[in-house]
Amino acid sequence: MVLLHLVDAFSDRPFSGNPAAVCLLDAPRSDEWMQQLANELGYSETAYVARVDSGLSLRWFTPTIEVPLCGHATLASAHVLWSVGRAQGTVRFETKSGTLTCERKAKVIQIDLPRSELSDVPPPVGLFTALGGAKPVTLKRAHNDQLLVELADEDSV
């Protein structure tokens, strides 16, 4: 059995925030199957959660590739597990980026992400447009070529 949930991360109302699909699997599925479903859904990320011997496995696929880490889909996955009664308290996910831990803190979810060395980087072409004109307070590149973009406040996010 597969349970599919559509979650708007970083928001308390539907059709806002950062959408992610969360797929709760009864058993691990093939990479091809997960890629095909992610492509069909068309979300920026689809998260796949499965029980494994070590606990919970979590993987993320865009419509075209598997990615090594996705924060908003991890938060969405923890939210879904708590909402459907499949987890209580701290949630630990085994991922290709290491163990990720999520905890509920009042009305927010706190996530413990892996540490990465950061370096200064100039803004890529199109970044300001992609951010709706918001100017980053901080812009860094991680060793895995991902960008860390810090914005001034919640409204900018």
Side-chain angles (χ1 to χ4, degrees), residues 6-38:
L6 306 179
V7 178
D8 292 311
F10 307 125
S11 179
D12 60 358
R13 61 185 202 279
F15 311 114
S16 60
N18 194 352
V22 177
C23 189
L24 301 181
L25 303 172
D26 57 352
R29 298 292 176 116
S30 71
D31 291 3
E32 180 182 20
W33 186 90
M34 290 187 286
Q35 188 64 71
Q36 288 175 342
L37 179 59

Side-chain angles (χ1 to χ4, degrees), residues 112-128:
D112 185 15
L113 296 169
R115 183 181 171 102
S116 179
E117 295 301 318
L118 303 174
S119 59
D120 291 325
V121 63
V125 174
L127 177 66
F128 299 136

Side-chain angles (χ1 to χ4, degrees), residues 17 31 35 37 39 45 60 64-65 87 92 102 105 111 127 138 144 147:
D31 291 3
Q35 188 64 71
L37 179 59
N39 181 53
E45 276 85 19
W60 311 271
T64 57
I65 62 167
R92 287 179 182 77
C102 294
K105 303 282 185 176
I111 184 173
L127 177 66
T138 304
N144 59 6
L147 289 178

Side-chain angles (χ1 to χ4, degrees), residues 129-153:
T129 301
L131 295 174
K135 302 284 191 233
V137 173
T138 304
L139 182 62
K140 303 279 185 174
R141 184 174 307 279
H143 72 279
N144 59 6
D145 213 30
Q146 292 186 339
L147 289 178
L148 170 67
V149 180
E150 178 186 359
L151 298 177
D153 53 41

